[in-house]
């Protein structure tokens, strides 16, 4: 791209949308014009970006009639289903944070540190941002798959309420204040762990669990990896934690494996249990990196490890990853 792009942010008033704006500002992302879009509920409100006020526009069929190069979407699956193709038909490259387009074979599913080359294959003009819990797992798993070849992965997640948007955050705030509400969940979240993220499918898994399984295959480009998952919502505001058990085809030296993780872009190893050092959700919140610790041999198999992986689900799990994809686009 030769000139500075015209940008649109769709869903700009939501949890991820407001973080898109923060990350774009922090990254000093180059742009010419910026359009801020949300639902009729927010139309006319003012959003400040880099010291300038922008009026929120209601998203509609004509929103992309004006010249826009890149649109970052985070307004839910049904909005992406309808409006991403309309935007793409106007020549806009859409980077979509919903699950709507992720498994479409003509839509790249991208974590820039892992599979940036996939971006070129955007036959529909849409690039999908993976599920938050998948993104943070991909960085360490890509590093390890390239070196030791992964046979099987078992994910167990401990996911923050910010992943459910404003309603999830409100439910936890209300519950901590002693007034449980069920705006986002079927049960109170304060003082609870809910083994239920997104809807249940016929096979007994939740849609979140199936996203982790299917997206892992697509991003690592290897359907032969056996993957299973249990995803759990926990009373944490701002970062997802994951226990990841990995079995390899090849043997490894644990120190070398730890170094392999530390050398991977975007990964920070925090692994000093003797000094109580391991990744923590409260420390990861507000940062763009993926933290890995508790790295230890799984003695129940020939070649395997357990590790604890933490990242801010709204940043690396959503907004930061989306902005990184947009940064790849402007490099083209
Ligand atoms: P609005 O604030 O006007 O409702 P979250 O899930 O974090 O609460 O955010 C959802 C985001 O998606 C918000 O910016 C919301 O706008 C936006 N949104 C929801 N429905 C629509 C819609 N039909 N058209 C455009 N934006 C929408």
């Amino acid at each position: 791209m030769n000139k500075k792009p015209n940008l649109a942010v769709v869903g700009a008033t939501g949890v991820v949308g407001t973080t898109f704006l923060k990350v774009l500002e922090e990254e000093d992302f180059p742009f010419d014009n910026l359009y801020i879009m949300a639902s009729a509920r927010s139309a006319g409100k003012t959003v400040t970006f880099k010291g300038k006020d922008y009026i929120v526009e209601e998203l509609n069929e004509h929103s992309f009639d004006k010249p826009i190069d890149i649109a970052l979407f985070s307004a839910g699956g049904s909005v992406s289903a309808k409006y991403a193709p309309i935007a793409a038909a106007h020549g806009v490259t859409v980077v979509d944070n919903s699950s709507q387009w992720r498994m479409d074979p003509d839509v790249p599913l991208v974590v820039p540190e892992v599979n940036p080359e996939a971006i070129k294959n955007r036959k529909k003009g849409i690039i999908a941002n993976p599920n938050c819990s998948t993104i943070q797992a991909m960085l360490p798993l890509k590093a390890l798959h390239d070196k030791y070849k992964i046979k099987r992965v078992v994910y167990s997640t401990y996911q923050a309420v910010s992943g459910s948007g404003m309603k999830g955050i409100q439910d936890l705030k209300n519950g901590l204040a002693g007034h449980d509400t069920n705006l986002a969940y079927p049960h109170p979240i304060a003082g609870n762990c809910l083994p239920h993220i997104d809807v249940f499918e016929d096979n007994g898994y939740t849609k979140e669990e199936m996203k982790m399984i299917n997206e892992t295959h697509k991003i690592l480009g290897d359907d032969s990896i056996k993957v299973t998952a249990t995803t759990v919502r926990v009373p944490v505001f701002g970062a997802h934690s994951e226990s990841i058990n990995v079995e390899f085809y090849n043997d490894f030296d644990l120190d070398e494996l730890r170094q392999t993780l530390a050398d991977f872009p975007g990964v920070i190893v925090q692994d000093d249990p003797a000094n109580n050092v391991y990744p923590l959700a409260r420390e990861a919140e507000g940062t763009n990196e993926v933290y890995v610790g508790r790295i230890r041999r799984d003695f129940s198999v020939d070649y395997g490890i357990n590790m604890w992986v933490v990242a801010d689900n709204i940043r690396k799990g959503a907004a930061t990853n989306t902005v990184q994809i947009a940064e790849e686009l402007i490099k083209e």
Side-chain angles (χ1 to χ4, degrees):
M1 216 171 263
N2 294 323
K3 64 178 186 64
K4 286 184 187 169
N6 290 334
L7 292 182
V9 175
V10 179
T13 51
V15 174
V16 173
T18 50
T19 312
F20 280 158
L21 294 172
K22 268 191 221 157
V23 176
L24 287 168
E25 188 160 349
E26 287 166 10
E27 293 287 307
D28 201 14
F29 192 93
F31 70 99
D32 196 0
N33 293 302
L34 172 67
Y35 302 98
I36 302 284
M37 302 177 190
S39 78
R41 290 180 289 276
S42 308
K45 286 187 188 163
T46 304
V47 165
T48 307
F49 181 73
K50 288 192 158 180
K52 188 176 158 194
D53 286 346
Y54 291 83
I55 305 291
V56 180
E57 300 175 25
E58 179 187 356
L59 177 69
N60 62 42
E61 274 91 349
H62 298 292
S63 296
F64 301 97
D65 292 352
K66 43 192 172 283
I68 294 172
D69 301 294
I70 300 172
L72 311 183
F73 272 60
S74 192
S78 56
V79 171
S80 294
K82 179 170 176 188
Y83 290 99
I86 293 176
H90 283 79
V92 180
T93 302
V94 174
V95 190
D96 180 36
N97 191 53
S98 81
S99 61
Q100 182 62 33
W101 299 98
R102 288 182 191 147
M103 295 312 294
D104 186 316
D106 292 332
V107 173
L109 185 64
V110 177
V111 179
E113 296 89 341
V114 175
N115 61 338
E117 69 289 345
I119 288 176
K120 285 190 220 83
N121 185 31
R122 50 176 191 275
K123 296 198 185 96
K124 291 197 159 115
I126 302 170
I127 301 164
N129 196 61
N131 172 257
C132 46
S133 39
T134 312
I135 291 177
Q136 68 184 69
M138 287 304 96
L139 281 72
L141 290 184
K142 169 69 175 170
L144 299 178
H145 189 47
D146 283 351
K147 190 131 186 183
Y148 308 111
K149 191 159 169 53
I150 296 174
K151 190 193 256 184
R152 179 169 185 254
V153 177
V154 182
Y155 294 122
S156 309
T157 72
Y158 307 69
Q159 296 184 219
V161 294
S162 54
S164 314
M166 301 289 187
K167 289 179 179 166
I169 294 170
Q170 202 55 51
D171 273 341
L172 180 54
K173 279 189 182 160
N174 292 345
L176 292 176
H179 312 289
D180 283 327
T181 50
N182 294 338
L183 303 172
Y185 311 114
H187 304 282
I189 185 65
N192 241 348
C193 296
L194 309 179
H196 177 182
I197 301 184
D198 211 327
V199 295
F200 282 102
E201 301 205 333
D202 291 343
N203 64 4
Y205 284 73
T206 61
K207 199 172 163 195
E208 184 83 351
E209 288 158 353
M210 294 311 298
K211 284 180 213 166
M212 288 196 82
I213 295 166
N214 295 328
E215 294 179 22
T216 296
H217 288 146
K218 183 165 175 177
I219 297 164
L220 294 180
D222 188 343
D223 288 349
S224 75
I225 302 174
K226 295 186 173 69
V227 188
T228 191
T230 301
T231 59
V232 181
R233 189 75 66 190
V234 296
V236 165
F237 282 108
H240 289 352
S241 304
E242 300 179 354
S243 159
I244 309 183
N245 175 269
V246 195
E247 189 178 353
F248 304 108
Y249 284 100
N250 298 307
D251 201 359
F252 57 88
D253 171 81
L254 196 58
D255 288 334
E256 189 186 78
L257 181 148
R258 200 177 273 113
Q259 193 59 47
T260 301
L261 290 169
D263 290 343
F264 198 80
V267 170
I268 295 177
V269 170
Q270 290 182 326
D271 198 18
D272 182 11
N275 290 306
N276 303 332
V277 173
Y278 30 75
L280 291 171
R282 273 172 57 166
E283 289 177 6
E285 191 176 351
T287 72
N288 294 314
E289 284 77 25
V290 174
Y291 301 87
V292 185
R294 298 295 322 280
I295 303 160
R296 61 208 192 274
R297 204 170 260 278
D298 172 1
F299 297 114
S300 72
V301 293
D302 286 339
Y303 313 126
I305 59 154
N306 287 299
M307 60 183 170
W308 182 247
V309 177
V310 179
D312 184 322
N313 52 299
I314 300 299
R315 282 188 168 252
K316 185 54 186 163
T320 302
N321 199 71
T322 304
V323 172
Q324 286 173 328
I325 294 171
E327 282 168 343
E328 294 291 325
L329 289 173
I330 55 172
K331 278 189 218 156
E332 282 180 353

